[in-house]
Amino acid sequence: MSLAVTILLVCAVGAWAEDLVAEEQYRPAYKPAYPEPQYPSYNKPSAYPAAYPSYPKYCDPKAAPKCAENSTVSWCLTDVEYPTYEVKYAIDYDPLVLKKYADVADQSADDLVDGVTKEQEEKFDYSFYNGKQFDQGNWVGGEGFICPSDVAYSRPLRAKNTAGEWRVIVQDIAWPTYTQTQRTETCLFPEAACRTLAPCHFSKCLQKHTVHRMLSFDPCDAYKGIFIDTYKMPSACSCHIPVKA
């Protein structure tokens, strides 16, 4: 290759490089057609700004809540401190909650007591009975059971589980409405003699319990979400006659 050709090639390459630099210098900055997406933070749900309260640094799950103060039972039917937003948030972020949930909201003696109707059960009146075997009220009275009891179809809002720890019970939350109905039967006079039985039988009315499974929420550890826990609830008041010596 001659010297003249080489010089021409060098000049051409130099001119091309200068044009490329000038083109880059005046090229407009690229702007995307759509703004960059902004992903939400999941530390706190934006839909519930007041949902996450400032939980105390230490929470004793065995300490009775305010709704249970001055109460002799291990559950609450009213609760002014019920954590509605926290429970709803936990439900919304649990894809399996419907697989865990089940309830028969409309319960009565028609379905649960053989031989006794709802109307009969609601008319049982034990106002004449005071639990004393030798009083007249032990031998008189209308229809009912020989161990008087208080029957309720209730939906507890908090309850103490079988491990002795208090839990929040999922009730009347979200859509569809989540309810958990329990039939409880509590002895009016536990350990008292069975009504209409003679003293020689040494009978006693004893409280029976059953274990219920309910969808629950731990107010001391919200990150557990919604889970199934077990609770001992009064189920019947039965007459017991001991073995005679």
Side-chain angles (χ1 to χ4, degrees):
M1 183 181 293
S2 65
L3 179 60
V5 174
T6 303
I7 293 173
L8 288 174
L9 288 173
V10 171
C11 291
V13 170
W16 175 80
E18 290 177 359
D19 292 341
L20 183 62
V21 171
E23 183 179 352
E24 289 296 328
Q25 182 178 359
Y26 295 103
R27 185 189 299 273
Y30 171 74
K31 293 184 179 180
Y34 301 98
E36 188 136 348
Q38 299 295 319
Y39 296 100
S41 170
Y42 289 97
N43 292 331
K44 289 186 179 181
S46 58
Y48 311 105
Y52 263 47
S54 55
Y55 285 105
K57 293 183 179 179
Y58 175 74
C59 178
D60 183 4
K62 294 192 175 183
K66 286 187 177 181
C67 66
E69 291 179 352
N70 303 318
S71 175
T72 58
V73 297
S74 58
W75 64 89
C76 298
L77 297 181
T78 59
D79 184 7
V80 295
E81 296 182 332
Y82 190 86
T84 302
Y85 290 110
E86 295 91 323
V87 175
K88 187 178 187 307
Y89 176 77
I91 290 175
D92 289 345
Y93 281 82
D94 186 347
L96 299 178
V97 69
L98 284 176
K99 295 183 180 295
K100 306 177 203 175
Y101 170 75
D103 185 34
V104 178
D106 186 14
Q107 301 182 25
S108 72
D110 291 340
D111 309 303
L112 302 177
V113 183
D114 292 345
V116 175
T117 66
K118 174 184 177 181
E119 290 72 20
Q120 286 177 290
E121 184 179 62
E122 290 176 347
K123 291 179 180 178
F124 289 169
D125 180 14
Y126 302 109
S127 58
F128 57 87
Y129 181 71
N130 58 16
K132 297 181 179 179
Q133 190 171 35
F134 293 99
D135 283 5
Q136 183 180 3
N138 185 59
W139 307 102
V140 300
E143 182 183 18
F145 296 109
I146 61 175
C147 282
S149 62
D150 176 44
V151 176
Y153 296 88
S154 56
R155 294 172 179 171
L157 297 175
R158 290 190 196 240
K160 185 188 294 185
N161 67 9
T162 51
E165 297 180 344
W166 283 87
R167 301 286 191 239
V168 172
I169 309 300
V170 176
Q171 294 286 11
D172 296 321
I173 293 292
W175 179 259
T177 302
Y178 294 87
T179 59
Q180 298 185 89
T181 310
Q182 310 296 340
R183 183 185 192 275
T184 59
E185 186 173 343
T186 308
C187 288
L188 292 177
F189 300 95
E191 301 291 324
C194 304
R195 186 170 67 96
T196 72
L197 289 188
C200 60
H201 294 293
F202 301 101
S203 62
K204 283 185 179 181
C205 289
L206 300 183
Q207 181 67 63
K208 287 185 176 181
H209 300 83
T210 189
V211 174
H212 291 266
R213 293 158 54 88
M214 291 187 280
L215 282 182
S216 309
F217 176 81
D218 187 352
C220 291
D221 189 355
Y223 295 102
K224 286 182 180 179
I226 302 298
F227 55 93
I228 298 174
D229 213 338
T230 54
Y231 304 86
K232 187 176 78 170
M233 308 286 285
S235 60
C237 187
S238 298
C239 180
H240 176 257
I241 298 177
V243 176
K244 295 179 181 179

